[in-house]
Every structure is written in C-alpha cells, then in structure tokens.
Amino acid sequence: MQYKKSPHSIDDQIELLKERGLTIDEKDLANHYLTHVSYYRLAGYWWPMQSDKEKHIFKEGSLFSDVIHLYNFDRELKLLVFDVIEKIEISLRTKLIYHLSHEYDPWWFENVSLFNDSQALIKTLYSLQEEVERSKETFMKEHKKKYKNDCRFPPAWKTLELTSFGGLSKLYGNLKNTIKSKDVIAEDFGAVNHTYLPSWLQSIAQIRNICAHHARLWNKNLPGTVKLLSKPPKAWIADVPKQHEFQRLYIHLCIMKYMVNIIAPENTFTKRLLNLFEKYPSVDPNALGMKENWEKEDLWK
C-alpha cells in the first residue's frame, strides 16, 4: 500500500479540522499557528481529544484554543525542565572531572581499564573526538596550538566541557563499580551508591533530548525506568507512583527536584511549576502523572 495523500493548504487544514468536529472560533488564530507550527506537531496535542482515532473524529466540545493552551503549556514546561537539567548537567560534569581526575589522572576517560564496556567507551570517545575537532572555544584552540605534539585528548577539565549530558551519563554509568569516585559522586547527589544514579541520569538525558529537540513532553510515554531508594537520605515523596506509572513525567520530575535541592537549595522549581499549572488551568495534571497535592510533599515544599 502506497501513501497517496497530497499536501493541504492552511485553509484546507482548518476546514478539515472543523469537519472532524474541532471547534475553531478564531480562524485568524488557527491560521497563525498552523502557519508557524506544523499540523502534525499540533496533532500530538489534539490526539487525546479524538473519540475515533482512525477517522480522526473529535469529541464533542473539543476546542482549538485548548490545543494551543496545551502546546504553549508544553513549550513553557520544557523551558522550565531544561533550566533545571542545566544545573544537574553542570554539577555532574564538575564532579566527574574533579573526582576522577584526582583519583586517577586527567585522562581517566581514555583509560579502558576503568570501564565495563570497552566498545561503548570507544563510541563515547569517538563522539568526544568530533566535539573536540569542531570546537571553536578559545581554550580548546589555545590547547591545540600549544600542545600540538600531544596526541592525547586535552585533559578532562577541557574535553568534558564539550560533552553532552548523554555523554556524561554514559561515562558515569560505564565506570566499573569498584571505582571509588563512582560511589562518591552518587553520594554527593543523595543516591547513596552507584546502584541508583545511572538510571536517574539516563532518564534525565532522555528528557533533555526531548526538550532540546522541541519534541512533545506533555502526555509523553517515557521509555525506560528508574531505580528508587527505599529510604532516601534527603526529603522525598510519601506517595510514590507504582512501577507502571513511571512512564509518566512526574516521578522523573521528582528525581530532578531531589537532585536540584542538593545542587541549588534555594531553587524555585516548585513555585515555577505551580505557576505554570495556574497559568494554564485547562491542562490536566494527570497527563503528566502528577499526584494529588504533590506540592505538599516534603520534597516539593
């Protein structure tokens, strides 16, 4: 079976949505958004409003304005989450550079003997090499000029400044469990030991990529799972989601909040998240897996 549908004009897209039952009170508003935000990007937000997913028929009372509220809520949510992840990323980078460089040497990330999976390390180093080669950072240009005969990577405090959160997460997770710094870093983040932190970082890296690529975060089924401490040393939540609820964003937000409370104790994550829900009252918090009275949990106070 071949795909035979033709492209639709903006006017045709609007008429199609109306024919399928989506109420569009302001055609100018619809025209504006469909001109700047593609039909299929917005489709992710009106998908739950459809009663017939095959024929794309909307439930009675479905409004285009609610679609836009969801889209704008999601956009602002991603900006908020990305801001929190930035703090975690910078802290993780700092700790990896500091602890491993002192426990071993500034080129520990090249040392195959420190890692479980040598093939995974090679892939990480290949990505690092690409970043180093195309870097326009002054400190990297100066290093290449001054140490042009040194065939190694620049030391960790230079090279890892160019690494993505995903790369940092992979380096940490791939470290052998006998490496002292692996437990030290986990303890610094309130994760007690190396057992839990890798899954937290993998989760955050996935969410960071969603935010960085401007994909939909609202109502997203997140891949993978996270390991939770039975008795965290820092403030946590009493109402912990069940395992099948881990695909929703809430537990991942809790992990970010747990870590950022250590990194930046005076953070305003709770206030900003509450303000976002207040700004967009039509957004159902259940789509993110938010628990009732989540803001009253010790973690979020």
Side-chain angles (χ1 to χ4, degrees):
M1 182 177 179
Q2 288 186 320
Y3 191 88
K4 296 181 180 180
K5 293 182 180 180
S6 301
H8 285 63
S9 68
I10 300 297
D11 285 339
D12 287 345
Q13 291 174 26
I14 292 172
E15 289 307 311
L16 182 61
L17 290 170
K18 291 170 72 173
E19 287 172 11
R20 290 173 172 175
L22 183 62
T23 299
I24 300 177
D25 292 325
E26 301 178 56
K27 185 176 179 180
D28 288 346
L29 177 71
N31 189 293
H32 174 83
Y33 272 94
L34 288 167
T35 299
H36 296 284
V37 185
S38 71
Y39 183 98
Y40 270 93
R41 180 171 291 271
L42 288 177
Y45 301 94
W46 68 55
W47 182 259
M49 298 179 183
Q50 296 178 335
S51 57
D52 188 330
K53 298 294 195 288
E54 289 187 12
K55 296 181 179 178
H56 307 294
I57 305 301
F58 286 89
K59 301 171 185 174
E60 187 177 351
S62 296
L63 305 174
F64 185 79
S65 58
D66 284 344
V67 175
I68 299 309
H69 281 171
L70 286 174
Y71 173 77
N72 285 326
F73 168 85
D74 190 45
R75 183 178 60 82
E76 293 186 37
L77 174 66
K78 286 180 288 192
L79 290 172
L80 169 56
V81 170
F82 201 82
D83 181 60
V84 172
I85 292 176
E86 178 193 24
K87 294 179 176 61
I88 297 171
E89 178 177 338
I90 291 172
S91 180
L92 175 63
R93 178 179 288 111
T94 301
K95 291 180 185 302
L96 280 169
I97 292 169
Y98 183 84
H99 291 298
L100 272 302
S101 295
H102 279 85
E103 185 174 358
Y104 294 97
D105 59 47
W107 293 273
W108 59 269
F109 58 93
E110 290 186 79
N111 188 343
V112 178
S113 68
L114 303 183
F115 296 89
N116 291 307
D117 187 338
S118 59
Q119 291 301 312
L121 177 63
I122 289 170
K123 290 180 181 179
T124 301
L125 292 176
Y126 180 78
S127 296
L128 273 175
Q129 185 64 43
E130 288 185 322
E131 293 290 346
V132 168
E133 288 177 356
R134 66 169 172 253
S135 175
K136 298 295 190 292
E137 293 286 352
T138 302
F139 68 83
M140 195 57 72
K141 288 181 179 179
E142 291 298 316
H143 181 91
K144 293 174 184 177
K145 182 179 178 181
K146 187 172 183 178
Y147 304 101
K148 58 185 177 182
N149 294 325
D150 191 334
C151 297
R152 298 172 298 180
F153 276 94
W157 46 83
K158 294 183 180 182
T159 295
L160 296 193
E161 280 298 329
L162 307 177
T163 318
S164 67
F165 189 97
L168 296 170
S169 172
K170 288 173 183 176
L171 279 174
Y172 177 82
N174 195 13
L175 284 168
K176 289 182 177 178
N177 295 339
T178 53
I179 306 297
K180 181 181 177 182
S181 293
K182 193 171 185 180
D183 278 332
V184 171
I185 292 170
E187 188 175 355
D188 282 352
F189 284 126
V192 180
N193 60 50
H194 64 264
T195 304
Y196 304 94
L197 187 57
S199 71
W200 298 6
L201 298 179
Q202 289 166 14
S203 157
I204 294 170
Q206 290 172 341
I207 293 169
R208 185 198 181 282
N209 287 341
I210 290 171
C211 295
H213 292 97
H214 315 296
R216 176 173 50 84
L217 186 58
W218 170 83
N219 204 31
K220 174 83 91 179
N221 287 333
L222 298 169
T225 186
V226 287
K227 293 181 180 179
L228 300 181
L229 292 155
S230 57
K231 294 181 180 180
K234 306 291 183 179
W236 185 237
I237 51 175
D239 191 4
V240 180
K242 303 294 189 294
Q243 194 73 35
H244 70 275
E245 298 176 279
F246 281 20
Q247 65 183 0
R248 291 304 189 189
L249 184 62
Y250 176 60
I251 191 63
H252 305 274
L253 292 177
C254 289
I255 289 170
M256 291 180 210
K257 175 64 172 170
Y258 183 82
M259 296 179 73
V260 84
N261 281 349
I262 295 169
I263 298 164
E266 302 303 318
N267 71 84
T268 57
F269 192 5
T270 303
K271 182 180 179 181
R272 294 171 68 189
L273 192 53
L274 279 170
N275 288 344
L276 195 55
F277 282 117
E278 290 173 4
K279 183 177 179 179
Y280 297 99
S282 64
V283 173
D284 183 3
N286 288 327
L288 303 179
M290 306 300 291
K291 293 290 187 177
E292 188 175 358
N293 297 319
W294 61 270
E295 73 278 8
K296 296 180 181 178
E297 292 271 17
D298 288 345
L299 172 70
W300 290 97
K301 287 181 180 177

